Amino acid sequence: MIVTLIVVCEVGFWVLLAAGLAARYLLRMPRLGLGLLLCEPLLEVLLLVVTAMDLKNGAEPSWRHGLAAVYIGYTVGHGHRTVKWLDGIAAHRFGGAPPPAKPPRYGKGRALHEGAIWLGTVVAAVVATGLLTAAIWYVGDAGDTSSLRGWINGVWKAVGIHGLIALSYALFPKSAPEPPAEDRSPLPARDPEDVPDRLAGRAREDAASPGGDPRATGGGRQAG
C-alpha cells in the first residue's frame, strides 16, 4: 500500500504541476494556478499520515516506510527547484517572458551551482532522517527498526557522494573552450573598434616610407 501511495503521489505531483502551469499561462488564471501548485505539499502530508497510520496499526517497519520518508525528503529538498525551472519554461513559451537563464557550465559559476544542488540534497537528508528517527521512536521496542536505521545511513552516504562530486567542480574547475583559430584577430587590440584605426595608421606609415604605395592614403589621385 505504501509503495502504491508513493507512485500515486509522484503522478499527482506532475499532474498538479502541469495543471497549475496551464491555469497560469494558458487559461490566464494565475490565482487558480497558484492554488493548484500549493496543493502539491498536501500529497507529501497525505503520504506521511498514511505511513504513520500503517505503523500504528501494527505494520512491521520495512523498506517501504523508509522509501516514503526519503521520497518526502527529496520533494522538500529538490521539489521547489523543479517547479521553478518548469515555471520559467512555461512563462517563456506561453507568457512572453524571456527564456530562463541556463545554469553556468564552467568555472566558479558551475561550482556554486553544483554546491546549491548539493545543499538541496542535504535538506532532503535532514528531512528524511527526522521522519525516520520519529518512526523509530514511535515504534520503540515493539518492532524491528533496523531497516529504518539502514535508510538513515544510506541517505547520508548519498549526501557524502554527492558532496564529493560537487566539490570536484570547485577543486578542478572546467575552463571554457577557446574560440576557433579562424575567429581570432591577428592584430592585438584592447577593443575591436581600435582595429580599423590601427590598420589606417599602418597604411599611412607604409605610404610615407621610401618606396611606399601612395595609393594607400589617396596620394595616387592626380590633380585635375
Side-chain angles (χ1 to χ4, degrees), residues 24-220:
R24 293 186 68 179
Y25 299 109
L26 295 181
L27 302 179
R28 305 299 180 183
M29 302 174 67
R31 292 186 179 181
L32 176 61
L34 180 61
L36 291 172
L37 294 177
L38 291 178
C39 287
E40 291 182 347
L42 297 179
L43 297 175
E44 280 66 50
V45 174
L46 174 63
L47 179 60
L48 178 61
V49 170
V50 172
T51 303
M53 292 176 60
D54 191 45
L55 291 173
K56 185 176 182 180
N57 292 334
E60 191 71 19
S62 64
W63 64 271
R64 301 176 183 84
H65 302 95
L67 180 61
V70 172
Y71 173 79
I72 295 173
Y74 181 86
T75 304
V76 174
H78 294 285
H80 175 72
R81 181 178 293 105
T82 302
V83 172
K84 184 178 179 181
W85 174 64
L86 292 175
D87 182 72
I89 295 178
H92 168 58
R93 292 189 176 182
F94 306 111
K102 295 182 179 180
R105 300 177 58 185
Y106 309 105
K108 182 179 179 181
R110 179 62 184 270
L112 293 176
H113 174 73
E114 295 295 334
I117 297 178
W118 176 74
L119 289 178
T121 301
V122 173
V123 172
V126 170
V127 173
T129 300
L131 295 175
L132 291 169
T133 302
I136 293 172
W137 175 81
Y138 181 76
V139 174
D141 299 331
D144 183 14
T145 58
S146 59
S147 62
L148 301 181
R149 299 180 188 277
W151 275 102
I152 294 177
N153 295 331
V155 295
W156 286 106
K157 287 181 180 179
V159 170
I161 295 174
H162 190 183
L164 291 176
I165 295 175
L167 183 61
S168 67
Y169 286 94
L171 297 179
F172 310 101
K174 186 178 180 180
S175 301
E178 296 184 359
E182 57 270 15
D183 295 340
R184 302 175 188 173
S185 174
L187 297 178
R190 295 183 179 179
D191 191 280
E193 296 180 355
D194 296 338
V195 175
D197 296 338
R198 295 191 177 190
L199 291 175
R202 181 171 297 179
R204 287 193 296 268
E205 292 176 359
D206 293 341
S209 62
D213 187 356
R215 289 176 296 176
T217 58

